[in-house]
Structure formats: structure tokens, C-alpha cells
Amino acid sequence: MTRVIQWATGVTGTMSLRHVIGRDDLDLVGVRVYDPAKSGVDAGSLCGMPEIGLSATDDRDALLATDADVVLYMGKVETDTPGCFADVCDLLASGKDVITTGSRFVHPRSLDATLADNIETACSTGNSTFLGLGLYPGFVGESLGPILSRITARAGRIDVREVLNYSTYASHDLIFNAMGFGFPPEDTTPLLTNTEYAASAWIGSATVLAQALGLHIRGVEGYREVATTPRALSVAAGEIPAGTVGAMRFGVVADCGEVTLTVEHLTRMADDLAPDWPTEIGYEVTFSGEPNLRFHLVVGSPDEDHAQQGCLATAMHAINAIPAVMAADPGVYDLSTITPFVAHWAGR
């Protein structure tokens, strides 16, 4: 059995925890929490399952010393990049393979060469393996884009887009402090109002896609556009006053010479906001060329919360990658280089 540590129990982490506990090929040996109220709580109770006799802990050092094969790392890398990279490096150096979710882990070298060097050094020290993935980014452009390219003669532009309603997403830190919902449109306090920071969220995805297609990125440009809400909104993460940001889109444009790549996220807090923007919920990859292609993926059925189902898909992408990561040689991988993997239930 593969010994697993679940690191962080937010929305995605809790879903991951539930499925790790339920798998017959995985043995949960540790759970990292950040909320003191969760520390000491049975891992099963944290995710709505029967108690399993293993308590979660906020003791970072204790988990570093825990004997485990792989860590499913789901910390808040978007808002604490240095701290999360430090965690990952320490885990790798301790001899544990690490699979991460979060945009900044998808391709560390495109984000920051020093951070990437640190991960590579940690892998060498611990004889361990690193892989960053997710759903968006971490799957849609990186995995579906190269597959679609097989049926094209040429493409001058490839666009990857996510369209979601985040009104049910309960993370105040992400929705308000990072993305900037509920702020006046001219307020530059939120992290993503910095277009360079906005670009850094997607540059990893664009880089992995470019590598898979044999393209070289010559330059990148980030952008962010917002639309205000004419009425006050009460959403899961908090209150959004009238006249503040209620919809936004941000992304990166990558110049690859004859081919342009764009990766974009578009979020509304109410379906009727910004009606002139793309409105169809889901994930889309389009090729403008010969032939023109448009692939649209919807995660979850119409009566389900698409944001939550996306978190589940993210968790399962990490869990299903465990065998491939453990079988890989030590080092840093991304989805253009890791051995393809299939779900645990495939062929059973």
C-alpha cells in the first residue's frame, strides 16, 4: 500500500482526503491542517466519513518526519507562494514524492528560476519526484490541447478558457484578497490587479502546452478585465456591494512566433453580469487554423455545483497520478514529460 499524507483540507483537500481514505490501495498516514480548530480532529470526521483513528495536525515538523511515500500538497500557493514552495522543498528533501495542485506549481521554472532550482535540489537530496497538476490549469490546456493538435494541419492561434460562476465558492481569501471581487474596480489592493501577477497564474499552463507542441515562447503579456455588479450580492465567500467587481477575466497571451497561445479564466458572481463576455459554463480549447476546432468540456451535470465538481476533478487528477509519480525517476516533471497515467478504476 502507498503511504499518503494529505497536506491541507480546504475544498479540494477535503475531497482528496475523502477519496484517499476510501481507496484500497492507499494508506493515509498524515493530515496537515492550518486551522487550530481542526488540529486533533479525526481525519474521517474532517471529510464527513466515519472516524479512522488518525488525527489531523498543524505540526508541520511532525509531518516532515512522518514516514510516507507521497504527499498530496494542496496548500494556498496562490496567496503564499514562498511558504508553499518551502513546504514542498522540505517534503521532497525528506524523501517523499510530492504531487501538488495550484497554478504556480504547474511549471515552476516558467514562474521563477530560483524556485525551480530549489525544487530540483530538494529532489536530488531526497531522491524524490515532483509533479504539479490540477484541472485548470493542470489538465485542460496541458492534456487536451496536444491531443486536439493531432487533427490539425496548422493553427495560428490556440485559446484555452475556463468560464465559471464562483458564487458558491467559500474561500474568502481567494475570492476577495486574491481575485478582487467586492473591491472598487480601480482598487489595486487585490493580488490579481497586478497584470504580471495575473500572467504568472497561467504562464505555467501556456509553457507546458507550448513544450508539448514543440513551440518556443518569445514573450508573454498578462491582462485583467473587470465588470461591476449593479446590485449587492451575497455569495458563499461574503458580501459584494453594488458598484464593486462582480465579474472578472484574466489571463496570459504567449507569443510563439507564428502561433499565439492564450490561457484565460473568466468568473462571474451572478450569471447575468458581463453578458457580452463568453457565458457558457465549462472549459474550452479552440484552434484557429485548418481546420478550426472548438472543444468544450463541462465538469458536473446541470444540477450540480460546477465549482465544487471542478475541485473534485482536481483532487482526482492528483490521486490518480500517484502510481506514475512513484514509478518515475527522481526529478521535476510536468504534464508534457510525465509518463501517462490512468485512473485506479480503469480496467477493473
Side-chain angles (χ1 to χ4, degrees):
M1 292 241 294
T2 301
R3 298 162 299 176
V4 178
I5 291 173
Q6 174 62 48
W7 195 286
T9 56
V11 178
T12 302
T14 298
M15 291 180 173
S16 176
L17 178 61
R18 183 179 305 126
H19 285 271
V20 169
I21 291 174
R23 292 276 287 256
D24 57 10
D25 60 332
L26 303 178
D27 179 23
L28 183 70
V29 296
V31 179
R32 167 71 155 107
V33 293
Y34 292 85
D35 183 350
K38 291 183 177 181
S39 184
V41 176
D42 188 272
S45 299
L46 281 177
C47 60
M49 297 181 71
E51 293 190 357
I52 63 170
L54 175 70
S55 297
T57 181
D58 58 1
D59 188 337
R60 178 182 184 274
D61 292 338
L63 286 178
L64 286 173
T66 298
D67 195 11
D69 299 305
V70 64
V71 180
L72 298 174
Y73 189 93
M74 298 176 185
K76 294 182 178 180
V77 69
E78 318 304 339
T79 54
D80 182 19
T81 300
C84 289
F85 269 84
D87 286 341
V88 167
C89 287
D90 287 346
L91 288 164
L92 290 166
S94 73
K96 304 171 183 63
D97 293 341
V98 179
I99 300 170
T100 64
T101 60
S103 67
R104 295 171 185 277
F105 284 128
V106 168
H107 190 272
R109 187 156 296 281
S110 65
L111 176 69
D112 185 292
T114 299
L115 293 176
D117 289 343
N118 291 343
I119 289 183
E120 290 176 357
T121 298
C123 287
S124 179
T125 299
N127 198 38
S128 52
T129 303
F130 170 87
L131 175 65
L133 44 63
L135 174 63
Y136 193 92
F139 174 72
V140 176
E142 300 86 340
S143 296
L144 296 181
I147 291 174
L148 291 173
S149 73
R150 299 176 188 175
I151 57 174
T152 63
R154 66 172 186 84
R157 185 181 180 96
I158 303 171
D159 298 291
V160 187
R161 176 183 294 124
E162 175 184 50
V163 179
L164 289 176
N165 181 317
Y166 263 12
S167 61
T168 60
Y169 200 77
S171 173
H172 185 278
D173 194 35
L174 176 65
I175 296 300
F176 289 90
N177 300 334
M179 300 185 76
F181 287 103
F183 282 79
E186 68 277 6
D187 194 325
T188 60
T189 304
L191 291 173
L192 288 176
T193 59
N194 181 324
T195 55
E196 289 187 5
Y197 190 87
S200 71
W202 306 118
I203 184 56
S205 180
T207 301
V208 173
L209 176 56
Q211 286 181 172
L213 298 178
L215 302 173
H216 173 69
I217 295 179
R218 300 179 179 182
V220 298
E221 182 177 355
Y223 64 91
R224 178 179 184 262
E225 300 175 28
V226 301
T228 58
T229 174
R231 63 188 185 280
L233 300 172
S234 181
V235 300
E239 302 300 317
I240 299 177
T244 65
V245 174
M248 64 170 291
R249 61 194 303 182
F250 69 100
V252 65
V253 179
D255 174 13
C256 300
E258 295 183 356
V259 181
T260 299
L261 303 180
T262 73
V263 184
E264 176 183 75
H265 172 83
L266 194 163
T267 305
R268 294 176 173 84
M269 286 298 173
D271 288 338
D272 62 326
L273 300 180
D276 54 326
W277 293 354
T279 58
E280 189 175 5
I281 294 292
Y283 304 86
E284 185 171 292
V285 182
T286 61
F287 280 66
S288 299
E290 296 181 15
N292 292 317
L293 301 174
R294 175 179 178 267
F295 181 92
H296 191 82
L297 169 69
V298 177
V299 178
S301 60
D303 60 338
E304 292 179 312
D305 184 321
H306 292 284
Q308 284 196 350
Q309 292 302 300
C311 290
L312 174 58
T314 300
M316 295 315 303
H317 199 196
I319 291 171
N320 288 330
I322 290 175
V325 168
M326 292 191 60
D329 291 333
V332 179
Y333 291 85
D334 61 61
L335 289 179
S336 69
T337 58
I338 191 71
T339 301
F341 54 88
V342 295
H344 169 68
W345 45 262
R348 296 187 70 191

